[in-house]
Amino acid sequence: MVPLSWYVGLSSALFLVGLVGVLVRRNTLVVLLCIEIMLNAVNVNFVAFSKYQHVIDAQILVFFVITVAAAEVAIGLGIIISLFRLKGSVNIDDFNILKL
Amino acid sequence: MSFSLVNILGTMPEIYLTFFGCVILILDTMIPSEKRSWLAYFTIASLLFAMIASYGLNGKGLPLYQGLYIIDPFSNFFKMIIYIAAIITILFSLPYLDREDIHIGEYYAFILFSTVGMMVMVSAGDLITLFLGIELMSLCFYVMVGLKRGSHRSVEASFKYFLLGAFSAAIFLFGISFLYGATGTETISGIAAFVANPGSLKPMILLGIVLTLVGFAFKISAAPFHMWTPDVYEGAPTVVTGFMSTASKIAAFGVFLRVFWVSFSADKIDWNILIVILSILSMLVGNLVALRQTNIKRMLAYSSIGHAGYASMALLQPNRESLFALMFYLFVYMFMTLGAFGIVLMLRKSGEEGEEISDLVGLHKRHPVAAFAMLVFMFSLAGIPPFGGFLAKFYVFFAVIHAGYAWLAVVGIIFAAIGAFYYLRIVMLMYMKDPESAVEFKSSSLGRLGLLLTAGMTVFLGVYPTPFVEYIKSSLAIFIP
């Protein structure tokens, strides 16, 4: 049986890949994908812990996370489309009217 | 496993609002566009209806759905604040939406759905329920921020909010997954038992606490997780900004408090230091950066960051006094902030919103009543007696001193004094200078009612708070199944 630490290592690595991707990538669609990777890293964690704790709770939670992620992507793509209509670009550097 | 009718009855307010939200979406396609304003009255009626239903459940400490959902006086109090904030928002929004040409039906449905999300948040007895509540609220806000679809600023704000919101949700979930891994349960009270005796799994628990803290800090817009706040508040339609800066923040505080006081209270020493850092940074950023803002919506955004700093000081010591201080603070904060945004959204300048601070110059000469209402809100936000904001700060600082953090209270008072400068600058500009730009103040009867309500309550809470103090004291119990 694969030890738990491997799963946690995998999910942490996935989470970091997503985190770094959100921070450094400039294409909004890729950023959206990176957020999905972060959420799926969480799912790996939940399933692994659930298996090792012998409780089913978290495997149910995974379905909720998948559903919420789908809703989030639907709204996110909608927002990106309306931004693209206004600016003709999906590059984050072009969205700079509001000063940070 | 049994499923009794009590579960359904206990969640009736949420079910009503979801149902009415769907009805509004259907009605929107059926009624002619000139009669759309009826949807606003319908929304207010459904909120009042749910409010009465919630009031009927008051005082009953019930774990519903096997502890996934909790109805207690504490959550009922937060629900009342959220209902009132939603109703006042709708009072403000009717003429505003027409002027800004926002498609109306969706807006009211989203107000109701996000209200349901916040109600789920403050009633959550389980981290799954909590996460779903936060997401339901946030998804509605992402859309509402971008409702001005022709405006670059609005859509851009919506995108920024979406990106950072989804990012923080992922971090929050990662924290939940570690808490679950260590404890094998997601119920808030179940985690508490484990946090008291963590054994060798302490690092996992700590990681979970820090990551969930980041998620909450994002939602209450405390520094250093505040970067989205000024941009989103500036770009969003002003009614949405008002609703977002009050209701969503208050709901987030409610759930922040429940999770940290119930689940993590055994580990208080570790997270207290994090909250101290959070609150000092928020007061620093909120009060100092607000000094050099020229846009009033950005200024109010920084002001709300500062207020998150004051309020989170009350989270340090889990006892009745701090709980009372925080609840009173949020109650007052709702009226004064919503009122200030209400004034801003009624200012018009040549067909646009007058949202620069220079637009307020000399307001007293043209519209003395509006200027006076703004004076009330600014004095109250600055914490000057006899307005509600003073008492709120007073209670919080006392709770902090009794919690053993006297130095933190001193820091808070110093920042409050710095903050008073930029609030009073607005009052000075309104009263001491002559008007420069042609700014109109366009109010409607509903909007005036909203202003009367917010300004009246801000004064009332400072002068004669007794009935509300009694009410809040009766709602202090946090139910632990």
Side-chain angles (χ1 to χ4, degrees):
Chain A
M1 201 154 135
V2 185
L4 178 61
S5 53
W6 289 31
Y7 285 109
V8 178
L10 169 68
S11 86
S12 302
L14 271 178
F15 192 80
L16 279 180
V17 167
L19 192 89
V20 173
V22 171
L23 296 176
V24 303
R25 295 305 291 263
R26 299 287 91 185
N27 187 315
T28 47
L29 293 169
V30 178
V31 171
L32 208 60
L33 283 176
C34 289
I35 289 175
E36 289 302 300
I37 293 176
M38 287 168 80
L39 288 172
N40 281 315
V42 174
N43 284 345
V44 172
N45 236 357
F46 273 128
V47 173
F49 284 134
S50 178
K51 174 83 177 154
Y52 280 83
Q53 296 269 8
H54 301 291
V55 203
I56 201 83
D57 294 22
Q59 301 199 19
I60 299 166
L61 176 51
V62 166
F63 285 103
F64 284 110
V65 175
I66 292 172
T67 317
V68 166
E72 228 164 38
V73 167
I75 285 180
L77 283 177
I79 293 171
I80 290 175
I81 286 172
S82 60
L83 256 184
F84 183 74
R85 282 198 182 136
L86 287 175
K87 311 221 180 204
S89 156
V90 287
N91 192 323
I92 283 185
D93 293 328
D94 294 335
F95 308 151
N96 50 10
I97 293 181
L98 300 162
K99 56 195 174 205
L100 206 69
Chain B
M1 289 284 269
S2 65
F3 189 83
S4 69
L5 204 59
V6 178
N7 293 338
I8 304 281
L9 291 177
T11 44
M12 257 344 218
E14 288 84 349
I15 295 173
Y16 288 145
L17 284 187
T18 316
F19 174 72
F20 288 136
C22 298
V23 169
I24 285 175
L25 283 179
I26 296 168
L27 281 182
D28 182 42
T29 61
M30 284 164 39
I31 60 176
S33 55
E34 66 272 13
K35 293 216 172 107
R36 285 260 171 74
S37 60
W38 288 102
L39 289 177
Y41 301 114
F42 182 77
T43 316
I44 292 179
S46 46
L47 282 164
L48 284 173
F49 189 65
M51 198 169 176
I52 293 166
S54 277
Y55 189 76
L57 293 165
N58 202 10
K60 297 189 176 60
L62 282 176
L64 303 174
Y65 304 100
Q66 274 86 36
L68 291 179
Y69 202 78
I70 297 173
I71 304 288
D72 56 2
F74 171 78
S75 65
N76 257 316
F77 173 78
F78 277 90
K79 283 178 194 171
M80 290 296 162
I81 305 190
I82 292 162
Y83 290 136
I84 298 171
I87 289 173
I88 295 175
T89 306
I90 291 169
L91 291 180
F92 285 145
S93 52
L94 201 52
Y96 180 84
L97 294 180
D98 281 342
R99 284 198 304 254
E100 296 291 332
D101 200 19
I102 293 173
H103 183 53
I104 298 185
E106 302 155 359
Y107 170 81
Y108 294 117
F110 279 128
I111 290 262
L112 287 189
F113 290 143
S114 61
T115 308
V116 174
M118 294 174 216
M119 291 161 73
V120 172
M121 274 164 80
V122 294
S123 273
D126 186 289
L127 295 178
I128 304 180
T129 326
L130 166 57
F131 172 68
L132 291 178
I134 288 185
E135 283 304 304
L136 178 54
M137 178 195 82
S138 310
L139 291 178
C140 292
F141 274 125
Y142 301 149
V143 182
M144 284 203 290
V145 169
L147 270 185
K148 278 203 280 191
R149 278 200 311 208
S151 149
H152 285 244
R153 286 199 306 170
S154 175
V155 178
E156 195 179 307
S158 161
F159 178 70
K160 278 187 179 164
Y161 190 31
F162 165 76
L163 211 59
L164 290 168
F167 187 61
S168 83
I171 291 176
F172 181 68
L173 261 185
F174 202 53
I176 294 182
S177 78
F178 278 109
L179 286 173
Y180 173 77
T183 62
T185 176
E186 287 131 353
T187 53
I188 289 176
S189 51
I191 291 173
F194 202 89
V195 171
N197 300 298
S200 63
L201 290 174
K202 185 104 195 258
M204 255 164 98
I205 300 257
L206 281 181
L207 187 61
I209 291 178
V210 172
L211 291 178
T212 43
L213 183 82
V214 171
F216 286 131
F218 179 87
K219 289 290 169 218
I220 64 170
S221 68
F225 308 101
H226 66 284
M227 298 308 289
W228 59 279
T229 321
D231 290 351
V232 174
Y233 281 21
E234 186 192 343
T238 314
V239 265
V240 178
T241 312
F243 192 48
M244 197 161 65
S245 68
T246 53
S248 85
K249 213 170 196 180
I250 287 165
F253 258 112
V255 68
F256 191 178
L257 185 143
R258 193 194 286 276
V259 170
F260 273 71
W261 284 18
V262 177
S263 289
F264 305 148
S265 60
D267 216 0
K268 191 164 73 69
I269 312 150
D270 290 320
W271 54 260
N272 257 2
I273 179 75
L274 295 176
I275 295 210
V276 168
I277 295 170
L278 213 65
S279 97
I280 291 181
L281 273 180
S282 306
M283 290 187 290
L284 187 81
V285 170
N287 289 314
L288 290 185
V289 185
L291 292 173
R292 48 180 290 271
Q293 297 303 318
T294 55
N295 182 307
I296 186 137
K297 278 162 87 178
R298 281 184 92 84
M299 194 207 88
L300 285 172
Y302 280 106
S303 142
S304 93
I305 296 170
H307 281 277
Y310 299 124
S312 55
M313 283 200 290
L315 291 169
L316 287 170
Q317 179 76 22
N319 61 19
R320 289 178 73 87
E321 193 191 4
S322 305
L323 183 55
F324 169 77
L326 182 71
M327 283 158 89
F328 191 82
Y329 197 98
L330 295 177
F331 196 51
V332 178
Y333 171 81
M334 187 264 284
F335 286 110
M336 55 195 190
T337 306
L338 210 46
F341 278 112
I343 297 272
V344 175
L345 68 88
M346 287 176 197
L347 290 175
R348 307 292 293 177
K349 185 176 60 181
S350 55
E352 285 186 348
E353 286 182 74
E355 52 182 50
E356 295 298 315
I357 287 182
S358 58
D359 296 336
L360 281 169
V361 170
L363 189 66
H364 173 65
K365 293 257 165 52
R366 292 159 181 258
H367 305 283
V369 181
F372 182 72
M374 195 62 172
L375 174 135
V376 169
F377 299 131
M378 286 300 131
F379 273 13
S380 181
L381 283 166
I384 293 170
F387 300 104
F390 166 73
L391 266 187
K393 278 206 178 67
F394 179 82
Y395 284 132
V396 167
F397 287 143
F398 252 78
V400 173
I401 290 171
H402 288 165
Y405 285 92
W407 64 271
L408 188 60
V410 173
V411 173
I413 290 166
I414 292 170
F415 279 121
I418 297 171
F421 174 75
Y422 68 88
Y423 294 121
L424 296 183
R425 186 170 61 123
I426 301 268
V427 175
M428 196 270 287
L429 289 175
M430 283 192 309
Y431 276 84
M432 311 281 185
K433 294 251 176 86
D434 284 328
E436 291 163 358
S437 56
V439 178
E440 294 170 88
F441 184 74
K442 289 217 171 130
S443 62
S444 63
S445 52
L446 281 182
R448 281 195 292 271
L449 177 67
L451 280 184
L452 184 72
L453 212 64
T454 46
M457 281 300 284
T458 309
V459 176
F460 195 70
L461 279 164
V463 179
Y464 184 63
T466 322
F468 298 99
V469 168
E470 292 302 320
Y471 174 57
I472 294 172
K473 282 203 168 143
S474 73
S475 316
L476 286 185
I478 288 194
F479 187 72
I480 304 162

